[in-house]
């Protein structure tokens, strides 16, 4: 799984269309409705900390975990500016190791799709189950086959930002995974451009596989939603949000 390297420094510019406040509000609504406790939230694969910041503004104690040192550097810069109560840990999401249990785990924006195989997903779910308190929620999303085949597919995208040009090329594979290649052209002080590249793969995990992993790791499935809306999944849903509750250990 990619550590994202210099991509981290431009991630926020490339995702300016993402409404983290809306995502946090939706997670808060679900936690309030379905969870027995509402204090500590784990933002798994937290990236540059934008969602962690939004959750902290809703009065949660937030723990953010990410594998990328560069992403976490960006997140800690935000925390320094905001002064919010967020603890960041550099960990692989498949090897979660927390100091104690949390009341909810949030893992969104297709982070699960970036795991390299079903075994990695299983290990992630096992760790989440281990550190989620009884009655706590596990909220995660995945990109759908429809999004991979019809939206990402073999398409190309371009971003022309201040001092940066990004060429984004996708490659759809036979198993509906998508290889994503990013070429960045960064303007230098002398007006020339320096090129650097990142690549990673998004993989499809079927509803059947995810349902089995939810059940086998002591979660009950509360519902599946069309992205962050309070609406059912349909054939053109690009993202499915899973809401699961940790069963009491007894």
């Amino acid at each position: 799984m990619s550590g994202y390297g210099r991509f981290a420094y431009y991630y926020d510019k490339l995702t300016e269309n993402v409404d983290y406040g809306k995502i946090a509000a939706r997670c808060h609504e679900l936690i309030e409705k379905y969870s027995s406790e509402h204090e500590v939230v784990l933002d798994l694969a937290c990236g540059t900390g934008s969602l962690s910041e939004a959750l902290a503004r809703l009065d949660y104690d937030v723990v953010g975990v990410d594998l990328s040192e560069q992403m976490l550097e960006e997140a800690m810069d935000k925390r320094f500016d905001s002064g919010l109560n967020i603890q960041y840990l550099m960990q692989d999401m498949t090897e979660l190791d927390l100091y104690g249990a949390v009341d909810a785990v949030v893992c969104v924006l297709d982070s699960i799709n970036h795991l390299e195989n079903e075994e990695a997903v299983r290990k992630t779910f096992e760790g989440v189950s281990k550190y989620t308190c009884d009655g706590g929620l596990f909220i995660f999303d995945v990109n759908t086959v429809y999004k991979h085949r019809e939206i990402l597919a073999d398409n190309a995208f371009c971003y022309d930002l201040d001092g940066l040009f990004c060429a984004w090329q996708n490659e759809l594979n036979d198993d509906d995974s998508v290889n994503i290649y990013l070429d960045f052209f960064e303007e230098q002080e002398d007006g020339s451009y320096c090129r650097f590249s990142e690549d990673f793969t998004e993989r499809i995990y079927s509803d059947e596989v995810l349902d089995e992993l939810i059940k086998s790791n002591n979660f009950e499935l509360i519902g599946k939603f069309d992205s962050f809306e309070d609406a059912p999944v349909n054939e053109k849903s690009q993202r499915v949000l899973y809401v699961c509750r940790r069963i009491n250990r007894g």
Side-chain angles (χ1 to χ4, degrees), residues 10 36 63 104 112 120 124 141 149 158 172 189 199 234 241:
Y10 298 106
S36 57
V63 179
I112 297 297
T124 298
D141 69 25
R149 289 179 180 172
C158 292
L172 181 65
E189 290 184 0
D199 64 86
N234 62 72
L241 186 73

Side-chain angles (χ1 to χ4, degrees), residues 219-237:
F219 285 100
E220 59 175 335
L221 179 64
I222 293 172
K224 303 171 188 175
F225 301 92
D226 182 5
S227 191
F228 304 107
E229 306 296 334
D230 187 9
V233 178
N234 62 72
E235 68 276 6
K236 291 189 176 181
S237 293

Side-chain angles (χ1 to χ4, degrees), residues 125 140 206-217 219 221 224 242:
F125 280 40
F140 70 92
S206 70
D207 194 53
E208 291 76 18
V209 166
L210 294 172
D211 281 350
E212 190 278 326
L213 288 172
I214 289 167
K215 206 172 295 183
S216 63
N217 284 287
F219 285 100
L221 179 64
K224 303 171 188 175
Y242 288 74

Side-chain angles (χ1 to χ4, degrees), residues 2-250:
S2 171
Y4 290 109
R6 293 179 65 185
F7 179 36
Y9 302 118
Y10 298 106
Y11 183 82
D12 288 339
K13 286 186 177 181
L14 295 172
T15 57
E16 286 180 339
N17 61 319
V18 177
D19 189 342
Y20 289 99
K22 176 181 177 179
I23 297 171
R26 177 62 172 152
C27 292
H28 175 65
E29 176 187 18
L30 293 166
I31 293 168
E32 287 280 298
K33 185 174 183 179
Y34 295 114
S35 179
S36 57
E37 302 291 337
H38 320 116
E39 185 177 354
V40 183
V41 174
L42 170 64
D43 182 7
L44 190 60
C46 65
T48 63
S50 295
L51 182 59
S52 296
E53 293 268 323
L55 289 166
R57 290 190 179 93
L58 294 173
D59 294 327
Y60 289 105
D61 291 334
V62 179
V63 179
V65 168
D66 203 276
L67 179 62
S68 169
E69 181 179 0
Q70 294 88 349
M71 288 283 194
L72 290 175
E73 286 175 358
E74 298 295 310
M76 288 186 284
D77 284 345
K78 291 177 185 175
R79 182 185 63 184
F80 178 81
D81 292 336
S82 68
L84 291 168
N85 183 25
I86 305 170
Q87 179 183 12
Y88 287 113
L89 301 172
M90 188 171 70
Q91 293 183 6
D92 188 324
M93 62 195 291
T94 66
E95 300 176 356
L96 197 59
D97 185 16
L98 304 180
Y99 302 115
V102 299
D103 301 316
V105 178
V106 175
C107 184
V108 296
L109 298 176
D110 46 91
S111 296
I112 297 297
N113 294 102
H114 287 244
L115 292 170
E116 62 185 354
N117 51 43
E118 288 183 18
E119 175 65 12
V121 181
R122 182 188 64 79
K123 290 172 67 177
T124 298
F125 280 40
E126 285 178 352
V128 170
S129 178
K130 178 179 179 180
Y131 289 105
T132 303
C133 68
D134 289 350
L137 291 193
F138 178 27
I139 301 169
F140 70 92
D141 69 25
V142 291
N143 281 340
T144 61
V145 171
Y146 173 81
K147 182 173 182 180
H148 278 211
R149 289 179 180 172
E150 304 297 331
I151 307 301
L152 296 177
D154 290 310
N155 293 322
F157 307 92
C158 292
Y159 295 86
D160 191 0
L161 306 171
D162 184 25
L164 178 74
F165 181 83
C166 174
W168 175 326
Q169 176 68 53
N170 296 328
E171 179 182 53
L172 181 65
N173 301 311
D174 290 340
D175 62 355
D176 292 323
S177 63
V178 176
N179 300 329
I180 298 173
Y181 305 97
L182 302 173
D183 286 304
F184 297 92
F185 299 87
E186 182 181 24
E187 187 175 13
Q188 307 299 298
E189 290 184 0
D190 63 1
S192 64
Y193 280 80
C194 178
R195 176 182 175 181
F196 62 97
S197 301
E198 296 279 352
D199 64 86
F200 48 90
T201 299
E202 284 209 1
R203 297 169 177 84
I204 284 291
Y205 295 106
S206 70
D207 194 53
E208 291 76 18
V209 166
L210 294 172
D211 281 350
E212 190 278 326
L213 288 172
I214 289 167
K215 206 172 295 183
S216 63
N217 284 287
N218 299 309
F219 285 100
E220 59 175 335
L221 179 64
I222 293 172
K224 303 171 188 175
F225 301 92
D226 182 5
S227 191
F228 304 107
E229 306 296 334
D230 187 9
V233 178
N234 62 72
E235 68 276 6
K236 291 189 176 181
S237 293
Q238 296 185 37
R239 184 187 307 277
V240 177
L241 186 73
Y242 288 74
V243 182
C244 317
R245 182 163 49 206
R246 182 66 166 80
I247 297 170
N248 291 347
R249 291 166 172 83

